């Protein structure tokens, strides 16, 4: 039997990028405990619309933890208190009746608020555009197993590729650093044979683009705790190593410049 | 024919006005181009930090000589700490003239300190500039006291080091009778003042906190990423900084409790010298 919860919400409302925002209090009553966090916001929005009020704008899309669109600060934690869970997969049964929940958008100088809880995360795209691709020959499909990849390597690459680009790492970081995101995108390709051709150029370009938007890592480790995919901090070390190599190698000879 | 496969994550890219907070600087020649970037500055912080931790550890071990009291050195009764100081001034003699190698080491340390502070300053500015404060209270999961207070512990340690050099190396702090090379009497003279001793205690606790996060971070900044390190990283950081803490806080406590003291009469050339203290002592011995 599902139970219902009565909650007090403190939600950041902001009309537009240049408007001044503030916290507004809302009463959310009779929320079923099997609703997801986003469904709870839907219920609140329905009642706002019924009362001719402007609904709360919040980021969402797949609602199954794979697209990386959702993400808000819930009681001071990115994606809420559940480890390894995106906001859309956080369920109301994790809260208690009578709780007060504070909801704030991601904050970083490079993530300006668009409206209410929605921020512009396009700097993450800029980083991917700088080198998050491989050059693949087109033509007929390659034979299966033509390129042997050890299982450990494939798994390590997949662990990095699990990043959904939600920006929780930046949001959780006291320095607003983008290291966890960038290093995951790098290791995804840098660890595979297909990624070798552009490896050092990619590392250099993506790190330097990252530094145009975000802060610098001081190894707090908040990003990993916030990450819905529990991306490992070890990728940051790999990025630092590859970045140094990218500067040290004579890449003119290697054809990467 | 090649086709780049571009994967993007957020659909808002097209109509966004995401302007960079800072532009890419024009590349200087290697290795200066590394220092232009934050990742490169972290390398510099880690390498200079490693040098400084090495120094702090060796300094602590050297100070343990304070516990050895008076020894006979070339037929002379002298405090072991003073012998050690003399040894440092004579490092690599006769390859180098006296104190020259010591100065080379000192200049290396000074360069490390300057680079460590400059990169910390530049990165801190970058971080403050990239940050946008939360209006609600944050609930920290991983950041600890050490990691969150690096800039404050570092600043206080800097002032402590300046005071320490003015106090014991240069003898500029009044309150006791400073003599060049007289390590034992200078240390005891300085730390007998409870206020100075308390300052040394607090500063060394902060130094340890700073070193703890420093050692923990260093591996990642340098790209040393063996899963075998991961398990020992925190332990190694706690172990090394713990040893440094134990040694360094013991000195002011030992002076205040009299475990380490300075006695003019204990020193002297030989018993035959006309030193009243020495003669008395030799009578006692007889
Ligand atoms: S809405 Fe797609 S990950 Fe949450």
């Amino acid at each position: 039997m599902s139970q219902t919860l009565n909650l007090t919400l403190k939600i950041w409302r902001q009309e537009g990028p240049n408007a001044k925002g503030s916290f507004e209090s809302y009463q959310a009553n009779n929320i079923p405990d099997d609703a997801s966090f986003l469904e709870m916001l839907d219920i609140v929005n329905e009642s706002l619309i019924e009362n001719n009020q402007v609904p709360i704008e919040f980021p969402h899309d797949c609602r199954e933890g794979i697209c990386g669109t959702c993400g808000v600060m819930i009681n001071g934690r990115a994606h809420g208190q559940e480890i390894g869970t995106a906001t859309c997969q956080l369920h109301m049964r994790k809260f208690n009746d009578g709780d007060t929940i504070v909801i704030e958008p991601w904050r970083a100088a490079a993530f300006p608020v668009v409206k209410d809880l929605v921020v512009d995360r396009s700097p993450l795209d800029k980083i991917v555009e700088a080198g998050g691709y491989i050059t693949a020959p087109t033509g007929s499909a390659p034979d299966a197993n033509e390129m042997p990849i050890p299982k450990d390597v494939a798994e390590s690459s997949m662990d990095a590729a699990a990043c959904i680009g939600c920006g929780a790492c930046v949001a959780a970081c006291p320095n607003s650093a983008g290291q966890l995101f960038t290093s995951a995108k790098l290791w995804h390709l840098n660890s595979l044979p297909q990624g070798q051709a552009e490896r050092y150029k990619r590392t250099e370009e993506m790190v330097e683009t990252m530094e145009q938007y975000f802060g610098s890592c001081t190894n707090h480790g908040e990003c990993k705790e916030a990450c819905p995919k529990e991306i490992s901090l070890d990728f940051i070390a790999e990025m630092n190593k590859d970045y140094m190599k990218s500067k040290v190698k004579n890449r003119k000879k290697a054809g990467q410049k | 024919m090649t086709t780049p496969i571009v994967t993007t994550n957020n659909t808002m890219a097209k109509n966004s006005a995401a302007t960079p907070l800072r532009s890419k600087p024009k590349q200087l020649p290697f290795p200066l181009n590394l220092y232009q970037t934050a990742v490169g500055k972290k390398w510099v912080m880690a390498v200079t930090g490693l040098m400084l931790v090495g120094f702090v550890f060796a300094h602590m071990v050297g100070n343990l000589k304070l516990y050895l009291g008076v020894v006979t050195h070339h037929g002379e009764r002298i405090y072991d700490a003073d012998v050690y100081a003399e040894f440092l001034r004579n490092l690599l003699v006769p390859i180098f003239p006296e104190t020259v190698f010591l100065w080379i080491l000192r200049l290396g340390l000074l360069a490390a300190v300057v680079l460590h502070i400059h990169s910390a300053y530049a990165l801190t500015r970058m971080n403050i500039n990239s940050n946008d404060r939360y209006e609600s209270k944050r609930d920290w999961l991983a950041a600890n006291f050490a990691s969150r207070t690096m800039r404050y512990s570092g600043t206080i340690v800097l002032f402590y080091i300046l005071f320490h050099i003015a106090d014991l190396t240069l003898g500029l702090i009044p309150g006791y009778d400073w003599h060049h090379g007289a390590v034992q009497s200078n240390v005891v003279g300085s730390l007998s003042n409870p206020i100075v001793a308390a300052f040394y205690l607090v500063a060394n606790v902060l130094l340890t906190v700073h070193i703890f996060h420093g050692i923990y971070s260093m591996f990642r900044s340098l790209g040393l990423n063996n899963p075998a390190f991961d398990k020992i990283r925190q332990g190694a950081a706690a172990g090394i900084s713990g040893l440094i803490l134990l040694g360094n806080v013991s000195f002011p406590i030992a002076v205040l409790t009299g475990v380490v003291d300075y006695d003019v009469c204990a020193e002297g050339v030989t018993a035959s010298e006309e030193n009243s203290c020495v003669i008395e002592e030799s009578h006692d011995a007889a």
Side-chain angles (χ1 to χ4, degrees), chain B residues 10-142:
Chain B
N10 294 303
T11 45
M12 293 193 26
K14 269 172 246 112
N15 39 19
S16 90
T19 36
L21 303 181
R22 47 193 89 85
S23 54
K24 275 190 205 181
K26 217 175 107 47
Q27 278 229 9
L28 296 172
F30 181 82
L32 294 177
N33 57 352
L34 264 174
Y35 198 69
Q36 285 180 295
T37 69
V39 172
K41 286 197 187 78
K42 290 298 289 188
W43 274 75
V44 171
M45 290 214 43
V47 172
T48 54
L50 187 64
M51 289 166 66
L52 296 172
V53 172
F55 166 75
V56 168
F57 193 80
H59 189 69
M60 185 277 286
V61 172
N63 279 350
L64 292 174
K65 295 268 183 292
L66 289 169
Y67 290 112
L68 297 181
V70 184
V71 293
T72 306
H73 183 69
H74 295 319
E76 202 179 343
R77 299 286 290 162
I78 182 168
Y79 276 100
D80 205 20
D82 299 9
V83 178
Y84 179 63
E86 191 56 32
F87 158 80
L88 288 180
R89 280 191 292 275
N90 288 313
L91 263 185
L92 289 194
V93 172
I95 298 177
F96 291 102
E98 205 188 313
T99 73
V100 168
F101 190 70
L102 184 64
W103 270 106
I104 293 176
L105 290 180
R106 282 173 171 172
L107 290 177
L109 271 181
L110 185 66
V113 168
V114 168
L115 281 171
H116 198 77
I117 293 172
H118 181 262
S119 48
Y121 169 77
L123 292 173
T124 303
R125 289 226 14 204
M126 178 181 178
N127 291 343
I128 291 172
N129 168 265
S130 307
N131 208 283
D132 193 5
R133 279 200 162 278
Y134 281 94
E135 304 283 332
S136 59
K137 211 171 112 21
R138 283 294 308 272
D139 184 3
W140 302 108
L141 285 163

Side-chain angles (χ1 to χ4, degrees), chain A:
Chain A
M1 267 303 284
S2 92
Q3 311 239 304
T4 58
L5 304 171
N6 292 331
L7 304 159
T8 308
L9 305 178
K10 287 211 168 104
I11 301 181
W12 185 262
R13 299 302 306 262
Q14 182 172 338
E15 275 183 27
N18 301 317
K20 210 175 121 49
S22 63
F23 281 108
E24 299 286 333
S25 285
Y26 298 91
Q27 209 54 46
N29 292 335
N30 295 322
I31 304 293
D33 71 352
D34 48 13
S36 76
F37 197 83
L38 298 184
E39 283 164 342
M40 180 274 290
L41 290 176
D42 288 336
I43 295 169
V44 174
N45 271 348
E46 268 164 29
S47 72
L48 285 178
I49 292 166
E50 267 166 30
N51 293 318
N52 278 329
Q53 283 177 289
V54 184
I56 302 150
E57 207 67 53
F58 60 90
H60 65 103
D61 189 13
C62 72
R63 300 205 176 196
E64 55 179 9
I66 55 166
C67 74
T69 308
C70 65
V72 287
M73 216 64 185
I74 301 166
N75 290 337
R77 291 199 194 176
H79 289 303
Q81 74 270 43
E82 287 294 297
I83 298 292
T85 307
T87 304
C88 57
Q89 300 225 290
L90 175 64
H91 284 86
M92 296 317 292
R93 56 178 169 270
K94 305 288 180 186
F95 294 88
N96 298 317
D97 191 34
D99 275 358
T100 299
I101 307 176
V102 183
I103 310 172
E104 202 178 341
W106 288 165
R107 300 258 186 221
F111 286 172
V113 172
V114 176
K115 191 172 189 228
D116 296 341
L117 302 173
V118 180
V119 299
D120 179 356
R121 283 166 291 182
S122 54
L124 299 180
D125 296 319
K126 297 277 181 272
I127 295 174
V128 172
E129 281 165 25
Y133 53 82
I134 59 162
T135 306
T138 55
S140 57
D143 286 339
N145 299 329
E146 193 183 35
M147 191 180 281
I149 300 172
K151 185 167 179 290
D152 294 349
V153 173
E155 276 178 359
S156 170
S157 170
M158 287 300 284
D159 286 348
C163 169
I164 54 176
C166 63
C169 45
V170 174
C173 178
N175 310 322
S176 302
Q179 251 78 359
L180 197 66
F181 169 82
T182 311
S183 67
K185 295 295 165 209
L186 279 168
W187 191 245
H188 167 199
L189 300 174
N190 282 357
S191 57
L192 293 175
Q194 292 92 329
Q196 295 314 302
E198 287 124 336
R199 180 172 188 165
Y200 296 109
K201 184 172 154 57
R202 167 186 307 120
T203 308
E204 200 173 10
E205 300 282 327
M206 287 176 72
V207 167
E208 284 167 17
T209 305
M210 166 184 85
E211 289 183 0
Q212 287 186 283
Y213 293 94
F214 298 114
S216 158
C217 177
T218 51
N219 295 299
H220 290 291
E222 284 294 330
C223 51
K224 192 210 147 209
E225 301 301 323
C227 179
K229 300 295 152 187
E230 298 178 87
I231 300 288
S232 166
L233 293 169
D234 289 346
F235 298 138
I236 298 178
E238 295 296 343
M239 175 178 78
N240 291 341
K241 198 193 312 182
D242 274 353
Y243 185 72
M244 179 53 108
K245 282 191 191 163
S246 80
K247 291 290 187 202
V248 173
K249 285 203 181 212
N250 185 346
R251 289 186 297 105
K252 274 194 182 120
K253 278 185 193 153
Q256 291 198 14
K257 191 118 195 189

